[in-house]
Amino acid sequence: MVSVRSVVDRVGPTLLHALQLPDDSPAVADVVIAEPGGGSVTLAAGDLVLGVATTSPEDAAELVKQSAGQGAAAVLLKPPLAAKPAVKRAAKAHGVALIQVHAATSWAQLVWLLRTVLDALADESEDLDPGSGDLFRLADAVASVVDAPVTIEDTNSRVLAYSARQDLTDPARVATIMGRRIPDDVLARFRSRGVFRELSRGRQTIFVPAQRDGTLPRLIVPIRMGGELLGSMWAVVAGPVSDERAAAFADAAPVVALHLLRRRAHTDAQRRASAELLRAVLEGNANPRKAMAELDLSDEPHRVVVIEVTGGDGRDAEGLRLAMLERLSQGIGRRPVATELAGLLYAVVPDRPGPGGWAELRDALVATGPSRRTGAPRAAAGAPGEIGDLSVSRAQADEALGLLRAELLAERVIAFDEAWTALTLHRGATAAAAARVADLGPLRTLRAHDETGRAGYVETLYEWLRHPGDPRAAARELRIHPNTLRYRMRKLLELVPLDLDDPDVRLALLTQLVAVHWS
């Protein structure tokens, strides 16, 4: 059971302060935002109710009353409303917890943070994730050892856990906990001081003095195991730290490293299971309901997107594909459900224009240029379909990617249902090539002449047939002068007898040339 008290303790007094906390508060279930306007609210038992749009003490007291009547676990308000006597009396009279939110806190970030905390506490109580709850308790223990508030972060400066202790804090720490990572501007300042260079070199402890913007001093310890940097611990301190205290902080790092490795193993196992299930979905061998539940897929049409990342080989290429997925995730805000098959990256995304959908992923792919180690990615999406039909969308994505690989299209990112012209020509050309239609008639003579004399007769005839009655357009495609086009046409007709006034002859020639060009 996740209690209101455990949520407040986990988030910490910097952001939340309990003004009224009954002993018999119901277990926390979810976070909901009260609708603006002070009207009635529809809640479930155990909800944390955020009074985002509440502006008056009367509305706040009414919100408290309504929330308590529907079994809410707590009402969260910002100052000065939370501390108003009428609001506190209402909370006490109706037996519901009243929590004051720090005035500078973003409501949107608080919703995200509270749900993250609820997930971590639920995993801890149900023993689903053997590492997440332990990390928060370990952060509390390390904070006691170093006598300072502590955050545990991964190698990308994302916060994995933090101590409840908040006696020393500054805006940088508040923003780090709220955003679950060090803010970019703070990160840049620490980087300019060489902090991350020292972390990579394996320094036992790093002390960063106070900064002009009010950022308090930091004592930083790398977390390593077997020579690999797994993350770091950051303590907010008042000033220089004694050698004994710094050593005690550093001594905690191996214990944290074991927990990070344990957490990684659990995450890797979950990721492998999800990857296997997604592969089964792409191959048409999975139960759609199970896939939707375990892969967190919504009940709406989805597309399969295949992404090819060029550069590297072997294990290095796999790392480049995973790095590409991270780059795309930063562009769309939510990591898509993805896996690898045969050296390609496959993602499943909803077919919608909003956040996390195909339109957003497409924009991110188009905007992703070449990096220092890879070329710009090529990507193709299958047509949208239900979860049970994603194997069809995957086959369509593969077929469309084949057009990009053959450089038959100028784009880097295409959708199957939009590329029907090229797909029709390619399928027709493939069938015609299998029937060896290009070996019939005088085309063989033109091709043989081009191979020896490089006259360009085959391409000239192809463009002439594609642009009937418009020699200038045909010449532009060939990047030659219209007079050169006319000269070539006259010479090739001297070489082979062709009645180009006969529509059947033109159609047969075009069928042959499409087979040569598109197969």
Side-chain angles (χ1 to χ4, degrees), residues 270-292:
Q270 288 184 319
R271 190 171 295 160
R272 283 195 299 271
S274 297
E276 287 299 324
L277 178 58
L278 182 55
R279 291 188 188 106
V281 169
L282 297 179
E283 292 167 358
N285 298 323
N287 181 290
R289 291 186 178 275
K290 178 182 179 183
M292 289 173 62

Side-chain angles (χ1 to χ4, degrees), residues 6 17-18 21 55 110 124-125 159 176 263 279 334 357 404 416 434 497:
S6 62
H17 174 54
L21 199 58
T55 57
L110 184 62
E124 178 182 336
S125 62
V159 176
T176 297
R263 185 177 186 273
R279 291 188 188 106
R334 181 180 185 271
L404 299 182
F416 178 86

Side-chain angles (χ1 to χ4, degrees), residues 169-514:
T169 192
D170 55 21
R173 176 174 167 82
V174 174
T176 297
I177 292 175
M178 286 301 303
R180 298 307 292 267
R181 72 183 305 273
I182 299 177
D184 290 339
D185 57 335
V186 179
L187 201 63
R189 289 196 292 272
F190 284 129
R191 185 173 286 116
S192 67
R193 288 177 170 267
V195 170
F196 297 99
R197 185 168 57 250
E198 295 297 328
L199 279 174
S200 64
R201 289 176 178 173
R203 283 280 301 277
Q204 189 175 19
T205 58
I206 303 163
F207 177 73
V208 182
Q211 301 182 41
R212 293 180 180 177
D213 64 351
T215 301
L216 294 172
R218 297 294 197 271
L219 184 65
I220 309 164
V221 170
I223 303 170
R224 292 182 170 276
M225 182 64 72
E228 180 186 359
L229 182 65
L230 303 175
S232 54
M233 292 190 296
W234 297 60
V236 181
V237 293
V241 176
S242 67
D243 291 343
E244 293 80 5
R245 191 171 157 202
F249 190 29
D251 287 344
V255 180
V256 179
L258 288 174
H259 283 268
L260 291 186
L261 288 174
R262 184 182 176 194
R263 185 177 186 273
R264 177 196 286 180
H266 179 79
T267 302
D268 287 348
Q270 288 184 319
R271 190 171 295 160
R272 283 195 299 271
S274 297
E276 287 299 324
L277 178 58
L278 182 55
R279 291 188 188 106
V281 169
L282 297 179
E283 292 167 358
N285 298 323
N287 181 290
R289 291 186 178 275
K290 178 182 179 183
M292 289 173 62
E294 296 191 16
L295 297 175
D296 193 25
L297 297 174
S298 51
D299 188 11
E300 60 184 311
H302 283 67
R303 291 178 185 263
V304 175
V305 183
V306 58
I307 305 167
E308 182 181 50
V309 181
T310 57
D313 52 52
R315 295 182 65 181
D316 182 52
E318 181 181 359
L320 293 176
R321 286 190 289 273
L322 294 175
M324 177 60 67
L325 184 59
E326 289 297 327
R327 288 172 67 189
L328 293 174
S329 300
Q330 292 172 7
I332 65 175
R334 181 180 185 271
R335 183 187 181 102
V337 178
T339 188
E340 283 192 285
L341 277 173
L344 296 170
L345 194 62
Y346 287 87
V348 174
V349 294
D351 183 46
R352 60 171 181 242
W358 158 237
E360 194 172 44
L361 177 59
R362 182 177 194 157
D363 290 344
L365 284 163
V366 170
T368 302
S371 68
R372 184 171 56 86
R373 301 179 63 193
T374 67
R378 286 193 287 247
E386 301 302 320
I387 302 300
D389 299 326
L390 288 184
S391 59
V392 176
S393 185
R394 181 261 176 107
Q396 293 170 340
D398 286 337
E399 183 180 3
L401 180 64
L403 298 181
L404 299 182
R405 284 175 153 177
E407 298 183 352
L408 296 174
L409 295 173
E411 298 93 331
R412 283 193 300 108
V413 182
I414 61 169
F416 178 86
D417 40 326
E418 298 169 358
W420 68 270
T421 305
L423 289 162
T424 299
L425 291 170
H426 184 255
R427 288 186 183 185
T430 301
R436 300 181 67 179
V437 297
D439 292 343
L440 304 173
L443 186 62
R444 294 178 63 182
T445 304
L446 292 178
R447 295 177 71 184
H449 191 81
D450 280 353
E451 289 174 4
T452 56
R454 298 182 180 179
Y457 288 161
V458 172
E459 283 298 311
T460 300
L461 181 59
Y462 179 56
E463 296 300 338
W464 188 87
L465 290 168
R466 285 186 68 228
H467 300 86
D470 192 352
R472 290 186 177 277
R476 279 197 303 271
E477 290 291 333
L478 295 167
R479 297 181 181 179
I480 59 176
H481 193 275
N483 288 340
T484 305
L485 174 73
R486 296 185 183 95
Y487 173 78
R488 286 187 186 177
M489 287 299 300
R490 187 168 62 251
K491 297 299 289 185
L492 75 85
L493 290 175
E494 292 175 0
L495 181 65
V496 293
L498 290 172
D499 183 5
L500 295 180
D501 293 329
D502 187 333
D504 287 340
V505 171
R506 295 197 301 270
L507 186 59
L509 284 170
L510 193 54
T511 300
Q512 290 180 309
L513 291 167
V514 165

